[in-house]
Amino acid sequence: MPSPLRAVWAEPAPPRPPVRRWREVAVVGVVAAVALLEGVLRPELHGRQLFAVGTAVLALTLLWRRTRPLTALLVAFVGITALSLVPDPPEVWSSIFVLGLAYGVVRWGSGRAAVIGGSGLLAYGAIDSVARGLPAGDVIGGLAVLGASLALGTAMRFRARARQRALDEVRLLERERIARDLHDTVAHHVSAIAVRAQAGLAVAPLRPEAATEALAVIEAEASRTLAEMRTIVRVLRRGEPDAAADAPSRGLADVVLL
């Protein structure tokens, strides 16, 4: 297997797919309603009731086009293939919902799922069109529509990946800036502490109270350093409550509590 294809094959699914929203449920409801209306309003279709109900049920697979894209596509593919086994199968317009599944498998599926789903759809579309004796123009047009859906899903996948890389780069640059600020802050106060400690040691034989004064200054500088470090750490842990930001990192004893 060539390296580019191997890289695509091994690519994981995009992280954190969006949660299902009411709009997706509404789209599925519209597709199902159109399928049922098509069965009622097109009396010329042979077996229209079976195809209408079957298409309306298969449209539910759109609800899983993000979380289980290849499974949803396979279920719809098997269902539509089973419906087409009846004698003289009709052309059901509402079955166009499969384009949404084609988009979903390359947008939200793993590399393996995208390759299997996309190539399988294109191959099936070509073989089925030729087997039914469709004109060359219809075959090319159908494959072009299917290819456009797959291309759109691929483009959106790459766009989301590029946006994520840009966000990660911005976060990295911001963390580097904060790390430099943290280094400068700590270095400044530690230098002041060191200088004050050396001064206290130098004058301690002549003025014993100088050691006490040096310790007081060192304590103040250390407290200021800790306060500024906590402020910077809160920025790094943005989005967490203050209590969580000040709390120590979780250890092995906290595993049971998670």
Side-chain angles (χ1 to χ4, degrees):
M1 185 181 294
S3 288
L5 184 55
R6 187 183 299 114
V8 172
W9 184 266
E11 184 179 347
R16 301 184 301 275
V19 296
R20 188 180 302 149
R21 298 186 178 92
W22 65 268
R23 288 175 291 186
E24 297 183 2
V25 179
V27 169
V28 173
V30 169
V31 173
V34 169
L36 296 176
L37 286 175
E38 189 174 8
V40 173
L41 301 178
R42 296 182 64 190
E44 75 278 8
L45 295 180
H46 174 68
R48 64 182 188 277
Q49 292 85 1
L50 174 63
F51 272 84
V53 174
T55 304
V57 172
L58 292 176
L60 296 175
T61 55
L62 287 171
L63 296 175
W64 290 274
R65 66 184 179 89
R66 289 175 173 172
T67 55
R68 298 288 186 273
L70 184 58
T71 302
L73 179 62
L74 289 176
V75 170
F77 175 79
V78 171
I80 292 177
T81 302
L83 289 175
S84 64
L85 293 178
V86 301
D88 191 20
E91 291 288 344
V92 181
W93 299 333
S94 53
S95 60
I96 198 173
F97 77 87
V98 176
L99 294 178
L101 297 176
Y103 168 89
V105 76
V106 295
R107 172 64 182 91
W108 298 107
S110 63
R112 182 177 306 180
V115 171
I116 294 175
S119 60
L121 278 175
L122 290 173
Y124 175 80
I127 294 173
D128 181 66
S129 299
V130 173
R132 289 191 294 166
L134 296 178
D138 293 346
V139 175
I140 295 174
L143 292 179
V145 172
L146 180 57
S149 178
L150 295 173
L152 178 61
T154 303
M156 294 301 295
R157 182 190 188 104
F158 287 144
R159 178 177 178 271
R161 187 189 303 168
R163 182 175 181 272
Q164 185 61 44
R165 282 200 299 265
L167 290 176
D168 292 341
E169 184 177 354
V170 170
R171 292 192 189 100
L172 180 60
L173 293 175
E174 181 68 13
R175 285 179 175 271
E176 288 179 354
R177 185 189 66 78
I178 294 174
R180 287 195 299 270
D181 292 344
L182 179 60
H183 173 269
D184 294 343
T185 298
V186 174
H188 169 74
H189 289 293
V190 170
S191 298
I193 290 173
V195 169
R196 189 62 185 179
Q198 291 171 0
L201 290 174
V203 300
L206 302 177
R207 294 178 54 226
E209 68 276 7
T212 303
E213 296 174 0
L215 289 175
V217 173
I218 290 172
E219 189 275 336
E221 288 290 336
S223 299
R224 191 177 300 112
T225 302
L226 289 175
E228 294 185 10
M229 287 179 61
R230 288 194 183 99
T231 301
I232 296 176
V233 169
R234 285 194 187 97
V235 175
L236 289 173
R237 297 181 177 180
R238 188 173 300 159
E240 298 182 9
D242 289 343
D246 293 334
S249 300
R250 291 188 175 98
L252 186 61
D254 300 315
V255 172
V256 182
L257 302 177
L258 295 179

Short mmCIF file of all heavy atoms in Angstrom, two decimals, residues 3 37 41 43 64 85 89 93 99 101 104 110 118 127 133 139 145 173-174 184 200-202 205 209 233 243:
data_model
loop_
_atom_site.label_atom_id
_atom_site.label_comp_id
_atom_site.label_asym_id
_atom_site.label_seq_id
_atom_site.Cartn_x
_atom_site.Cartn_y
_atom_site.Cartn_z
N SER A 3 2.47 4.96 0.58
CA SER A 3 2.51 5.72 1.84
C SER A 3 1.34 6.68 2.00
O SER A 3 0.73 6.74 3.07
CB SER A 3 3.83 6.48 1.95
OG SER A 3 4.88 5.61 2.19
N LEU A 37 -45.00 11.07 1.75
CA LEU A 37 -45.81 11.82 0.78
C LEU A 37 -45.57 11.33 -0.64
O LEU A 37 -46.50 11.27 -1.45
CB LEU A 37 -45.48 13.31 0.88
CG LEU A 37 -46.04 14.05 2.10
CD1 LEU A 37 -45.53 15.48 2.12
CD2 LEU A 37 -47.56 14.02 2.09
N LEU A 41 -48.47 10.41 -3.15
CA LEU A 41 -48.75 11.29 -4.28
C LEU A 41 -48.25 10.77 -5.62
O LEU A 41 -48.51 11.41 -6.64
CB LEU A 41 -48.12 12.66 -4.01
CG LEU A 41 -48.61 13.38 -2.74
CD1 LEU A 41 -47.88 14.71 -2.56
CD2 LEU A 41 -50.11 13.60 -2.78
N PRO A 43 -48.90 7.66 -7.56
CA PRO A 43 -49.56 6.35 -7.75
C PRO A 43 -48.94 5.52 -8.86
O PRO A 43 -49.20 4.32 -8.94
CB PRO A 43 -51.01 6.73 -8.09
CG PRO A 43 -50.91 8.11 -8.65
CD PRO A 43 -49.79 8.77 -7.93
N TRP A 64 -27.10 9.01 13.04
CA TRP A 64 -25.81 8.45 13.45
C TRP A 64 -24.71 8.71 12.43
O TRP A 64 -23.68 8.06 12.45
CB TRP A 64 -25.95 6.94 13.67
CG TRP A 64 -26.77 6.62 14.87
CD1 TRP A 64 -26.34 6.53 16.16
CD2 TRP A 64 -28.18 6.38 14.92
NE1 TRP A 64 -27.39 6.24 17.01
CE2 TRP A 64 -28.54 6.15 16.27
CE3 TRP A 64 -29.18 6.33 13.95
CZ2 TRP A 64 -29.84 5.88 16.66
CZ3 TRP A 64 -30.48 6.07 14.35
CH2 TRP A 64 -30.79 5.83 15.68
N LEU A 85 -34.59 -5.11 -4.70
CA LEU A 85 -34.67 -6.47 -5.22
C LEU A 85 -36.07 -6.83 -5.71
O LEU A 85 -36.24 -7.87 -6.37
CB LEU A 85 -34.24 -7.47 -4.13
CG LEU A 85 -32.76 -7.41 -3.72
CD1 LEU A 85 -32.48 -8.40 -2.61
CD2 LEU A 85 -31.85 -7.65 -4.90
N PRO A 89 -38.16 -2.12 -9.63
CA PRO A 89 -38.09 -1.15 -8.52
C PRO A 89 -38.26 0.28 -9.01
O PRO A 89 -37.72 0.66 -10.05
CB PRO A 89 -36.68 -1.38 -7.97
CG PRO A 89 -35.91 -1.94 -9.10
CD PRO A 89 -36.88 -2.77 -9.89
N TRP A 93 -37.35 9.48 -5.13
CA TRP A 93 -36.56 10.70 -4.99
C TRP A 93 -36.04 10.89 -3.58
O TRP A 93 -34.94 11.42 -3.38
CB TRP A 93 -37.42 11.90 -5.40
CG TRP A 93 -37.89 11.83 -6.83
CD1 TRP A 93 -37.28 11.19 -7.87
CD2 TRP A 93 -39.07 12.44 -7.37
NE1 TRP A 93 -37.99 11.34 -9.03
CE2 TRP A 93 -39.11 12.11 -8.76
CE3 TRP A 93 -40.09 13.22 -6.84
CZ2 TRP A 93 -40.12 12.53 -9.60
CZ3 TRP A 93 -41.09 13.65 -7.68
CH2 TRP A 93 -41.11 13.31 -9.04
N LEU A 99 -26.91 10.78 0.19
CA LEU A 99 -25.83 11.74 -0.01
C LEU A 99 -25.37 12.32 1.33
O LEU A 99 -24.18 12.63 1.50
CB LEU A 99 -26.28 12.86 -0.94
CG LEU A 99 -26.57 12.46 -2.40
CD1 LEU A 99 -27.06 13.66 -3.19
CD2 LEU A 99 -25.35 11.84 -3.04
N LEU A 101 -25.33 10.67 4.12
CA LEU A 101 -24.50 9.63 4.72
C LEU A 101 -23.14 9.56 4.05
O LEU A 101 -22.12 9.29 4.71
CB LEU A 101 -25.22 8.28 4.62
CG LEU A 101 -26.55 8.17 5.37
CD1 LEU A 101 -27.19 6.82 5.10
CD2 LEU A 101 -26.35 8.39 6.86
N GLY A 104 -21.19 12.28 5.51
CA GLY A 104 -20.83 12.00 6.89
C GLY A 104 -19.69 11.01 7.02
O GLY A 104 -18.86 11.12 7.92
N SER A 110 -13.33 7.50 10.40
CA SER A 110 -11.88 7.31 10.36
C SER A 110 -11.43 7.23 8.91
O SER A 110 -12.25 7.16 7.98
CB SER A 110 -11.49 6.06 11.12
OG SER A 110 -12.07 4.91 10.50
N GLY A 118 -16.52 5.65 0.84
CA GLY A 118 -16.50 6.44 -0.39
C GLY A 118 -16.27 5.60 -1.63
O GLY A 118 -17.01 5.70 -2.62
N ILE A 127 -21.53 0.45 -11.05
CA ILE A 127 -21.96 -0.90 -11.46
C ILE A 127 -23.48 -0.96 -11.60
O ILE A 127 -24.02 -1.51 -12.58
CB ILE A 127 -21.45 -1.94 -10.45
CG1 ILE A 127 -19.92 -2.00 -10.49
CG2 ILE A 127 -22.04 -3.31 -10.75
CD1 ILE A 127 -19.31 -2.88 -9.41
N GLY A 133 -28.57 -0.30 -17.48
CA GLY A 133 -28.57 0.22 -18.84
C GLY A 133 -28.88 1.69 -18.95
O GLY A 133 -29.47 2.13 -19.95
N VAL A 139 -25.28 8.24 -16.00
CA VAL A 139 -24.27 7.61 -15.16
C VAL A 139 -23.25 8.64 -14.69
O VAL A 139 -22.91 8.73 -13.50
CB VAL A 139 -23.56 6.47 -15.92
CG1 VAL A 139 -22.42 5.89 -15.08
CG2 VAL A 139 -24.55 5.38 -16.29
N VAL A 145 -22.66 13.83 -8.86
CA VAL A 145 -23.36 14.29 -7.65
C VAL A 145 -22.82 13.58 -6.42
O VAL A 145 -22.56 14.19 -5.37
CB VAL A 145 -24.87 14.06 -7.80
CG1 VAL A 145 -25.59 14.35 -6.48
CG2 VAL A 145 -25.44 14.94 -8.91
N LEU A 173 1.79 29.19 21.24
CA LEU A 173 2.47 30.48 21.32
C LEU A 173 2.09 31.23 22.60
O LEU A 173 2.94 31.87 23.24
CB LEU A 173 2.13 31.33 20.10
CG LEU A 173 2.68 30.82 18.76
CD1 LEU A 173 2.17 31.69 17.61
CD2 LEU A 173 4.20 30.79 18.77
N GLU A 174 0.81 31.14 22.97
CA GLU A 174 0.36 31.81 24.20
C GLU A 174 1.01 31.19 25.43
O GLU A 174 1.44 31.89 26.35
CB GLU A 174 -1.16 31.73 24.29
CG GLU A 174 -1.75 32.41 25.52
CD GLU A 174 -1.59 33.91 25.50
OE1 GLU A 174 -1.23 34.47 24.43
OE2 GLU A 174 -1.81 34.53 26.54
N ASP A 184 10.59 35.01 33.89
CA ASP A 184 11.09 36.33 34.25
C ASP A 184 10.68 36.70 35.67
O ASP A 184 11.48 37.27 36.43
CB ASP A 184 10.57 37.38 33.27
CG ASP A 184 11.13 37.17 31.86
OD1 ASP A 184 12.13 36.45 31.72
OD2 ASP A 184 10.53 37.71 30.90
N GLY A 200 22.66 40.02 53.89
CA GLY A 200 22.47 39.69 55.30
C GLY A 200 23.63 38.91 55.87
O GLY A 200 24.07 39.14 57.00
N LEU A 201 24.15 37.95 55.07
CA LEU A 201 25.31 37.19 55.53
C LEU A 201 26.55 38.07 55.68
O LEU A 201 27.37 37.87 56.59
CB LEU A 201 25.59 36.05 54.54
CG LEU A 201 24.58 34.92 54.51
CD1 LEU A 201 24.91 33.95 53.38
CD2 LEU A 201 24.55 34.19 55.85
N ALA A 202 26.69 39.07 54.80
CA ALA A 202 27.87 39.92 54.84
C ALA A 202 27.89 40.82 56.07
O ALA A 202 28.96 41.05 56.67
CB ALA A 202 27.96 40.76 53.57
N PRO A 205 27.92 39.56 60.90
CA PRO A 205 28.89 39.64 62.01
C PRO A 205 28.91 40.98 62.71
O PRO A 205 29.16 41.06 63.92
CB PRO A 205 30.23 39.34 61.32
CG PRO A 205 29.85 38.55 60.10
CD PRO A 205 28.56 39.15 59.66
N GLU A 209 21.16 41.88 63.93
CA GLU A 209 19.75 42.08 63.56
C GLU A 209 19.56 42.13 62.05
O GLU A 209 18.43 42.03 61.54
CB GLU A 209 19.22 43.37 64.18
CG GLU A 209 19.81 44.65 63.62
CD GLU A 209 21.14 45.02 64.30
OE1 GLU A 209 21.64 44.19 65.09
OE2 GLU A 209 21.63 46.13 64.05
N VAL A 233 -0.49 30.70 36.73
CA VAL A 233 -1.01 29.33 36.60
C VAL A 233 -2.52 29.36 36.35
O VAL A 233 -3.05 28.55 35.59
CB VAL A 233 -0.67 28.51 37.86
CG1 VAL A 233 -1.43 27.20 37.86
CG2 VAL A 233 0.82 28.24 37.92
N ALA A 243 -10.70 27.28 42.84
CA ALA A 243 -10.30 26.23 43.77
C ALA A 243 -9.53 25.14 43.05
O ALA A 243 -8.53 24.62 43.55
CB ALA A 243 -11.53 25.64 44.45
#
